[in-house]
């Protein structure tokens, strides 16, 4: 008994009866008790029959649940007899509810058949060949019905259900079971049936599986002919179970699905009616008793029958389809009467000529033979050259001989031509045209009918050209392998394509990119323009921006040519007057110093950004432009002014120039006056200082003469002591005054006027003056173009000023306006103003000098040091006060120690 509440779920208890070995019909009877107060299952009760100490197998009877508080009787019919023995094993397992009791009582061994369950008849052993189904028939006698389950249990516990149940009588019933008997499936089986009344178990029967015999070695070939094979069976060694009751041979062609079997009564056999030159596979079959007793075929003998030489060559070779690069051929079907052999080969051989290395004079022959599949009477030749003669023949061959057909010629059709080789494109670019040449395609693939050339602009360095431009196409005849493109844009890259055409269409396109050369820039001048203004050492011209052709303008240059009267220069001037090419211009830069050995020099180089539109420019303004000194012009010489534009692009240089002005020498000039004029206020003030100093020096010369003549008559009372001027400085100044060709006041920038009446100590030497001048040139190098300078003629015309009287003092702030009035005045300048002093005051006349010195017309001079530097040798004049007392004026000037830096420039 098992109290489920005292054990864990799943725990098992076993009760083993002693081993029984009975030799007569008997029955085992027992009672069981399964109960739980609340109706839950206390567990399971199972019954096992173990035979001869083997495995328990599957349970032959089991019960579970709660069956009330009472005992139930069960019978067990075991059909295992002596000498075999068996053991009954009871097993109780606790359920998950763990409530109730499981008990067994009243186990009895009865010597008569069971009443409630049937008995099985003895189950015999079954022998079967491997691969067959074994049949077990279980016959039950006693109280049984078809509804009760009949099972076939394997010793390892596998259970097989009955395939059919048949009632033999009212007390006998037979259940049939089918078991697949494979090799290695040999085992023990028994019949089992169970019900609520009990269970019935038969004895174990053995399933015996036999393996049909198979020869170990293949048969041996004794002799072979065109239609037969003689073999020896070779069945001394076999695998499997005997005995062998029958021998057979099975043969078939290697490539055929059919097979044939012949019974053999001896150890040798001759196989008849075989196909010539055919491979056969011959095997031996052995059979043992029982269904499925024939074993698998032994190892095969693979042998081939002999064949004869083919009867003749193949005929009827024709082309069913001709294309540019392939031929589809067919010929007569092949049979045994033609080949005399089933193992044969058909080869299709062809040849054609092709130019070697692209030369039509040297031809190379291409030969090739292709194998045709067996029993095929058609073939397609591919990858042939278009428009070419192809010679084809057929060859039929077997191991005994070979037959070849006659050669038939076919011609492939035309195809689109191959591409023109890009390396054959040669060209010569100019600025507005391109000469292109090419060669015929290496593979014309037919007759070339024409060439098509197309071109399109894809890139240009000229912003005025729209890219990509329209594509244009030109057709050429077959014998024209060149073309001249005209009307192109300079400095533009064109995508040029060339392709050939046959009757089938156009071939591949050869592409190349060609860039035209750039052209010289173009000027917008209809004729030599008139200068805007002109002075003795300068000339103002109007510079118009040039239009780049193929490349933007890289730089502008102003070139000055001195007219020396030589025939070469005159001829050069005539050539350069028109818009010329780079060879007629000035390709080598030259400075004014280098111009001594040449006929021209560069006076300025301007970036394109400085000429967005027409801009005035003053030639000779004494400034520096990109390293070139715009030196003042010599009034005694004749000059030609050229305007030059240069374009640099990808290593190409193109230039164009035009003569924009001519300046003649001043016939009435004795001393050249250079006035450097700047667009900024600094340049204007510098020019005003230069003019004022010229007037001052001239007045000083006149006053010295007056002083010498009237030394005894005049006196000066402003300063108690005279200041003596340095004689060397005075002689230096007088010498430079006589050599005045041009005057430059070396003031580098405008400064605020400092203390009044500050005096300088000494004159600045020429080297210091030149250093200041170089510093000023470097400052002006990056300045913009000067313009708006009024034109000044060399000849004197009527003046708006009255020359018979002295003029009042002029402030420096008003000096610029005063100079502009004199410039715009016809025939009146500094020279006339100087002469007007002596028209109003004749120093040669013997007048009362004391009276003359006290006239109301006076001029005063206030001097200031430059940039508030007490050591500076430069002065700024605030205003001028010239009195009629020359001696007093001279003494005042001596006391002030006037320091003036004069740069005498021999232009």
């Amino acid at each position: 008994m098992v109290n489920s509440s005292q054990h864990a779920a799943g725990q098992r208890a076993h009760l083993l009866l002693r081993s029984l070995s009975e030799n007569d019909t008997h029955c085992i009877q027992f009672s069981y008790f399964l109960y739980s107060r609340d109706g839950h299952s206390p567990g399971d009760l199972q019954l096992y029959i173990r035979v001869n100490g083997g495995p328990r197998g599957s349970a032959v009877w089991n019960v579970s649940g709660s069956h009330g508080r009472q005992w139930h009787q069960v019978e067990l019919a075991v059909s295992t007899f002596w000498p075999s023995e068996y053991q009954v094993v009871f097993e109780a397992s606790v359920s998950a509810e763990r409530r109730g009791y499981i008990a067994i009582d009243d186990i009895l061994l009865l010597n008569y058949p069971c009443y409630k369950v049937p008995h099985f008849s003895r189950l015999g052993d079954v022998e079967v060949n491997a691969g067959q189904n074994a049949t077990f028939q279980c016959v039950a006698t006693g109280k049984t019905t078809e509804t009760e389950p009949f099972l076939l249990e394997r010793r390892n516990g596998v259970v097989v259900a009955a395939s059919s149940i048949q009632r033999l009588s009212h007390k006998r019933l037979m259940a049939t079971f089918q078991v697949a008997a494979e090799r290695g499936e040999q085992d023990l089986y028994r019949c089992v049936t169970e019900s609520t009344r009990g269970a019935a178990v038969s004895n174990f029967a053995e399933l015996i599986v036999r393996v049909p015999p198979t020869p170990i070695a293949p048969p041996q070939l004794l002799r072979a002919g065109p239609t037969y094979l003689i073999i020896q069976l070779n069945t001394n060694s076999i695998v499997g179970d005997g005995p062998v009751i029958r021998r057979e041979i099975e043969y078939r062609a290697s490539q055929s699905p059919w097979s044939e079997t012949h019974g053999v009564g001896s150890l040798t056999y001759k196989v008849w009616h075989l196909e010539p030159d055919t491979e056969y596979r011959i095997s031996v079959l052995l059979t043992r008793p029982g269904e499925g007793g024939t074993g698998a075929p032994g190892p095969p003998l693979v042998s081939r029958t002999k064949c004869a030489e083919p009867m003749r060559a193949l005929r009827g070779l024709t082309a069913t389809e001709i294309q540019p690069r392939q031929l589809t051929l067919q010929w007569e079907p092949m049979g045994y009467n033609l080949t005399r052999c089933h193992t044969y080969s058909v080869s299709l051989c062809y040849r054609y000529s092709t130019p070697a290395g692209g030369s039509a004079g040297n031809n190379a022959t291409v030969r090739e033979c292709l194998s045709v599949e067996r029993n095929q009477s058609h073939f397609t030749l591919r990858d042939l050259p278009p428009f070419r003669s192809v010679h084809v023949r057929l060859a039929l061959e077997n191991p005994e001989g070979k037959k070849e057909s006659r050669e038939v010629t076919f011609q492939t059709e035309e195809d689109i031509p191959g591409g023109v080789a890009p390396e054959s494109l040669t060209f010569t670019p100019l600025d507005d045209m391109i000469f292109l040449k090419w060669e015929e395609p290496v593979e014309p693939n037919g007759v070339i009918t024409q060439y098509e050339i197309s071109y399109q602009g894809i890139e240009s360095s000229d912003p005025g050209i729209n890219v990509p431009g329209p594509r244009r196409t030109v057709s050429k005849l077959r014998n024209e392998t060149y073309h001249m493109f005209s009307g192109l844009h300079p400095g533009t890259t064109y995508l040029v394509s060339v392709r050939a055409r046959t009757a089938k269409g156009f071939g591949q396109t050869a592409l190349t990119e060609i860039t035209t050369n750039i052209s010289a820039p173009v000027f917008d001048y209809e004729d030599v323009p008139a200068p805007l203004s002109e002075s003795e050492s300068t000339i103002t011209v109007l510079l118009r921006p040039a239009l780049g052709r193929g490349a933007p303008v890289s730089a502008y240059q102003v070139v000055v040519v001195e007219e020396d009267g030589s025939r070469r220069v005159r001829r050069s001037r005539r050539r350069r007057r028109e818009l010329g090419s780079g060879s007629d211009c000035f390709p080598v830069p030259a400075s004014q110093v280098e111009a001594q050995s040449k006929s021209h020099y560069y006076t300025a180089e301007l970036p394109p950004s400085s000429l967005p539109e027409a801009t005035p420019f003053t030639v000779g303004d004494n400034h520096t432009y990109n390293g070139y000194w715009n030196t003042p012009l010599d009034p005694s010489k004749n000059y030609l002014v050229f305007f030059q534009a240069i374009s640099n692009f990808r290593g190409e240089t193109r230039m164009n120039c035009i003569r924009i002005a001519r300046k003649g020498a001043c016939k009435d000039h004795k001393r050249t006056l250079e006035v450097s004029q700047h667009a900024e206020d600094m340049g204007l003030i510098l020019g005003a200082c230069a003019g004022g100093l010229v007037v001052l020096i001239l007045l000083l010369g006149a006053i010295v003469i007056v002083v010498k003549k009237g030394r005894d008559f005049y006196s000066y009372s402003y300063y108690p002591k005279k200041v003596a001027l340095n004689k060397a400085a005075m002689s230096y100044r007088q010498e430079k005054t006589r050599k005045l060709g041009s005057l430059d006041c070396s003031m580098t920038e405008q400064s605020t006027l400092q203390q009044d009446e500050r005096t300088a100590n000494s004159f600045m030497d020429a080297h210091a003056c030149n250093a200041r001048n170089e510093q000023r040139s470097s400052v002006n190098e990056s300045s913009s173009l000067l313009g708006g300078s009024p034109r000044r003629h060399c000849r004197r015309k009527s003046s708006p000023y009255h020359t018979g009287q002295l003029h009042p003092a002029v402030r420096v702030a008003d000096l610029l306006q005063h100079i502009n009035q004199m410039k715009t005045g016809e025939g009146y300048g500094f020279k006339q103003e100087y002469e007007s002093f002596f028209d109003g005051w004749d120093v040669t006349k013997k007048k009362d000098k004391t009276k003359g010195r006290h006239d109301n017309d006076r001029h005063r001079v206030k001097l200031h040091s430059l940039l508030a530097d007490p050591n500076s040798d430069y002065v700024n004049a605030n205003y001028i006060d010239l009195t009629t007392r020359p001696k007093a004026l001279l003494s005042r000037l001596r006391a002030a120690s006037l320091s003036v830096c004069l740069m005498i420039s021999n232009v």
Side-chain angles (χ1 to χ4, degrees):
M1 186 187 70
V2 174
N3 187 355
S4 297
S5 61
Q6 296 178 359
H7 300 280
Q11 284 189 329
R12 291 180 175 88
H14 292 93
L15 176 63
L16 283 72
L17 301 185
R18 66 179 176 86
S19 296
L20 301 176
S21 180
E22 299 296 326
N23 59 1
D24 200 356
T25 303
H26 61 281
C27 181
I28 298 175
Q29 190 180 78
F30 66 92
S31 298
Y32 70 91
F33 181 85
L34 269 76
Y35 172 72
S36 175
R37 292 181 180 179
D38 52 5
H40 291 91
S41 175
D44 296 336
L45 179 61
Q46 294 178 334
L47 181 64
Y48 297 91
I49 304 297
R50 182 165 56 186
V51 178
N52 296 330
R56 290 187 306 169
S58 301
V60 297
W61 180 85
N62 67 83
V63 66
S64 62
S66 178
H67 292 264
R69 193 172 182 177
Q70 59 183 355
W71 291 87
H72 302 275
Q73 190 179 67
V74 176
E75 293 181 343
L76 179 62
V78 180
S79 298
T80 300
F81 300 98
W82 185 90
S84 299
E85 62 179 19
Y86 66 93
Q87 185 180 28
V88 179
V89 178
F90 295 93
E91 181 184 77
S93 59
V94 179
S95 66
E97 288 82 1
R98 299 175 57 192
R99 296 177 184 179
Y101 301 90
I102 304 173
I104 297 174
D105 199 2
D106 299 334
I107 302 175
L108 300 175
L109 178 61
L110 306 176
N111 59 359
Y112 52 83
C114 294
Y115 175 74
K116 298 179 181 180
V117 294
H119 289 265
F120 282 105
S121 300
R122 182 177 179 84
L123 187 61
D125 296 339
V126 176
E127 180 179 302
V128 67
N129 292 315
Q132 303 300 313
N133 289 331
T135 302
F136 288 91
Q137 292 179 345
C138 298
V139 178
T141 302
K143 191 176 181 180
T144 180
T145 62
E146 292 86 346
T147 59
E148 294 180 358
F150 285 83
L151 303 174
L152 183 66
E153 182 186 62
R154 195 172 180 177
R155 184 171 55 177
N156 61 4
V158 177
V159 177
V160 180
S163 60
S164 65
I165 299 176
Q166 181 181 4
R167 179 167 289 279
L168 300 179
S169 66
H170 69 282
K171 287 187 178 182
R172 296 176 65 87
L173 188 141
M174 183 178 67
T176 303
F177 299 90
Q178 297 290 334
V179 178
E182 298 295 337
R183 187 171 183 175
E185 292 293 331
Q186 189 163 318
D187 205 348
L188 299 177
Y189 293 84
R190 67 181 177 184
C191 301
V192 178
T193 182
E194 63 175 329
S195 65
T196 58
R197 302 184 302 275
V201 180
S202 73
N203 65 301
F204 275 108
E206 184 179 4
L207 174 62
I208 302 172
V209 180
R210 300 296 183 183
V211 178
T214 301
I216 295 176
Q220 294 180 355
L221 178 65
L222 299 180
R223 185 178 178 182
T227 59
Y228 65 89
L229 294 172
I230 300 175
I231 63 172
Q232 185 177 10
L233 298 184
N234 195 16
T235 59
N236 295 329
S237 300
I238 65 172
V239 175
D241 299 325
V244 176
I245 61 174
R246 188 173 67 250
R247 294 178 178 88
E248 298 173 308
I249 64 167
E250 180 185 70
Y251 69 94
R252 64 181 179 87
S254 298
Q255 303 298 327
S256 177
W258 61 264
S259 64
E260 191 173 343
T261 303
H262 293 173
V264 178
S266 63
L267 296 180
T268 61
Y269 188 76
K270 184 176 183 179
V271 184
W272 296 92
H273 304 297
L274 303 180
E275 295 289 341
D277 194 22
T278 303
E279 183 180 88
Y280 288 90
R281 303 173 69 89
I282 304 175
S283 302
V284 177
L285 300 175
L286 301 178
T287 304
R288 70 174 304 275
E291 185 180 358
T294 303
L301 167 66
V302 180
S303 181
R304 181 182 293 274
T305 57
K306 297 177 66 175
C307 62
E309 184 180 1
M311 269 183 96
R312 56 177 175 81
L314 296 174
R315 299 174 182 174
L317 179 61
T318 58
T320 60
E321 184 180 6
I322 299 178
Q323 295 184 9
R325 297 185 182 273
Q326 69 180 31
L327 289 173
T328 301
L329 306 173
Q330 71 175 12
W331 53 89
E332 64 174 330
M334 291 169 290
Y336 172 75
N337 293 332
L338 177 62
T339 62
R340 307 262 329 255
C341 188
H342 287 286
T343 55
Y344 61 90
S345 62
V346 177
S347 299
L348 190 148
C349 300
Y350 65 96
R351 64 181 178 88
Y352 59 87
S353 300
T354 180
S359 175
N362 300 324
N363 293 334
T365 301
V366 177
R367 300 177 184 270
E368 189 172 1
C369 289
L370 302 177
S371 178
V372 180
E373 291 186 5
R374 202 169 179 181
N375 298 326
Q376 293 291 331
S377 59
H378 57 85
F379 193 82
T380 300
L381 290 176
R382 305 180 188 276
D383 300 327
L384 299 176
F387 202 63
R388 197 69 51 86
S389 295
V390 182
H391 309 278
V392 185
R393 59 183 173 84
L394 290 170
L396 175 61
E397 183 179 6
N398 63 23
E400 299 297 327
K402 182 179 181 180
K403 296 291 184 179
E404 293 186 356
S405 67
R406 64 181 182 87
E407 198 170 62
V408 182
T409 302
F410 306 95
Q411 182 169 345
T412 56
E413 294 183 352
E414 285 187 303
D415 198 1
I416 59 174
V420 176
E423 58 270 13
S424 70
L425 298 178
T426 58
F427 53 86
T428 302
L430 301 176
D431 54 353
D432 59 350
M433 61 182 59
I434 296 173
F435 179 75
L436 179 66
K437 189 176 180 180
W438 62 91
E439 295 181 0
E440 182 180 291
V442 178
E443 298 179 354
N445 298 334
V447 179
I448 301 296
T449 57
Q450 70 175 36
Y451 292 97
E452 183 184 84
I453 302 95
S454 62
Y455 62 99
Q456 180 184 22
I458 59 174
E459 183 181 0
S460 179
S461 56
D462 192 343
I465 298 176
N466 294 327
V467 290
R471 175 172 291 276
R472 296 180 174 86
T473 303
V474 180
S475 296
K476 306 291 288 186
L477 298 178
R478 56 172 298 185
N479 56 350
E480 294 181 347
T481 57
Y482 58 88
H483 181 67
M484 175 68 77
F485 300 94
S486 60
L488 306 180
H489 298 289
T492 302
T493 300
Y494 289 88
L495 180 63
V496 180
S497 62
V498 181
R499 60 177 182 172
R501 179 186 177 93
T502 62
K504 291 292 185 176
F506 287 101
Q508 296 180 355
T509 301
L511 299 175
T512 185
E513 293 184 3
I514 308 175
T515 303
T516 56
N517 299 333
I518 64 174
S519 295
V522 178
F523 289 102
D524 187 16
Y525 290 98
E526 296 181 357
D527 200 353
V528 179
L532 300 180
S533 62
E534 183 178 349
S535 67
E536 294 181 354
S537 59
T538 63
I539 183 171
T540 301
V541 296
L542 184 65
L543 303 183
R544 297 181 182 274
L547 177 63
R549 298 188 62 206
V553 177
S554 303
Y556 293 99
Q557 294 167 343
V558 180
V559 185
V560 175
V561 179
E562 296 181 5
E563 286 190 300
D564 55 0
S566 66
R567 182 177 301 174
R568 176 180 59 83
V569 174
R570 289 196 300 270
R571 184 165 58 249
S572 175
R573 288 202 308 268
R574 286 194 300 269
R575 285 200 307 265
R576 297 188 181 107
R577 177 166 183 169
E578 301 299 332
L579 301 180
S581 62
S583 60
D584 295 332
C585 293
F586 308 92
V588 180
S591 62
Q592 193 274 342
V593 178
E594 296 171 341
Q596 297 178 0
S597 60
K598 299 180 180 180
S599 62
H600 71 278
Y601 64 90
Y602 284 20
T603 190
E605 184 174 273
L606 309 174
S609 59
S610 63
L611 283 180
E613 57 185 8
T615 306
F617 178 79
T618 300
V619 180
D621 63 358
N622 203 28
H623 291 174
T624 302
Y625 299 92
N626 197 19
Y628 295 98
W629 179 25
N630 190 10
T631 178
L633 304 178
D634 190 346
S636 62
K637 294 182 180 181
N638 296 323
Y639 293 97
L640 297 178
V641 179
F642 289 87
F643 187 39
Q644 179 171 276
I646 299 177
S647 295
N648 293 319
F649 184 71
R650 295 179 179 176
E652 294 186 62
T653 301
R654 296 291 185 271
M655 61 178 62
N656 194 7
C657 58
I658 184 173
R659 198 191 82 185
I660 58 175
R662 182 181 184 280
K663 186 180 184 307
C666 296
K667 297 181 180 180
D668 57 347
H669 177 77
K670 295 181 180 180
R671 293 184 179 92
T672 304
L673 178 63
E674 176 190 357
V675 180
S676 299
Q677 195 167 22
H678 197 281
E680 301 176 357
D681 292 342
M682 175 59 68
L684 297 176
I685 293 177
L686 292 178
C689 291
L693 290 176
V694 170
V695 176
L696 179 61
I697 292 173
L698 295 177
L699 291 177
L700 289 177
I703 292 172
V704 170
I705 297 175
V706 175
V707 170
K708 289 181 179 180
K709 292 183 178 182
R711 186 182 302 272
D712 298 334
F713 300 96
Y714 300 97
S715 61
Y716 182 71
S717 59
Y718 287 92
Y719 294 93
K721 185 178 180 179
K722 297 181 179 180
V723 180
L725 294 175
N726 186 286
K727 295 181 180 180
M730 290 297 295
S731 62
Y732 174 83
R733 183 183 61 182
Q734 292 173 2
E735 180 182 359
K736 293 297 182 180
T737 303
R738 289 192 301 269
K739 295 181 180 181
L740 278 177
S742 63
L743 184 61
D744 184 6
C745 181
S746 304
M747 296 167 58
T748 59
E749 60 184 47
Q750 186 177 2
S751 64
T752 307
L753 296 180
Q754 305 294 328
Q755 302 175 3
D756 294 340
E757 298 181 358
R758 174 170 295 188
T759 61
N761 295 324
S762 63
F763 284 97
M764 190 176 194
D765 58 357
H767 297 289
C769 181
N770 291 335
R772 292 294 184 101
N773 189 32
E774 290 176 359
Q775 178 182 2
R776 187 205 56 184
S777 299
S778 64
V779 171
N780 293 334
E781 182 175 353
S782 59
S783 61
S784 61
L785 292 173
L786 298 179
S789 176
R791 183 173 180 180
R792 178 174 179 178
H793 298 278
C794 295
R795 297 180 180 179
R796 181 188 306 172
K797 295 184 180 181
S798 60
S799 174
Y801 293 93
H802 298 286
T803 60
Q805 59 183 353
L806 294 177
H807 300 283
V810 179
R811 292 179 57 86
V812 174
D814 301 331
L815 186 58
L816 178 61
Q817 182 178 0
H818 178 67
I819 294 174
N820 290 333
Q821 290 177 354
M822 285 191 294
K823 286 184 177 181
T824 56
E826 297 294 334
Y828 190 84
F830 288 110
K831 179 179 179 182
Q832 289 77 15
E833 186 177 18
Y834 166 73
E835 293 174 353
S836 67
F837 285 109
F838 298 97
D839 290 340
W841 174 43
D842 191 358
V843 296
T844 60
K845 295 180 180 180
K846 303 298 183 179
K847 292 184 179 180
D848 188 354
K849 296 180 181 179
T850 303
K851 181 179 179 181
R853 299 246 175 209
H854 294 278
D855 290 341
N856 293 328
D857 293 332
R858 299 186 307 169
H859 291 77
R860 229 174 13 186
V861 176
K862 285 189 177 183
L863 304 177
H864 300 273
S865 61
L866 183 64
L867 297 175
D869 186 1
N871 298 322
S872 176
D873 295 334
Y874 295 88
V875 295
N876 288 334
N878 187 26
Y879 58 88
I880 300 174
D881 187 0
L882 299 179
T883 182
T884 55
R885 296 191 296 274
K887 183 176 181 180
L889 177 59
L890 181 60
S891 298
R892 179 175 296 181
L893 294 175
R894 289 175 178 176
S897 299
L898 176 63
S899 176
V900 179
C901 178
L902 303 176
M903 184 184 72
I904 307 300
S905 181
N906 297 322
V907 179

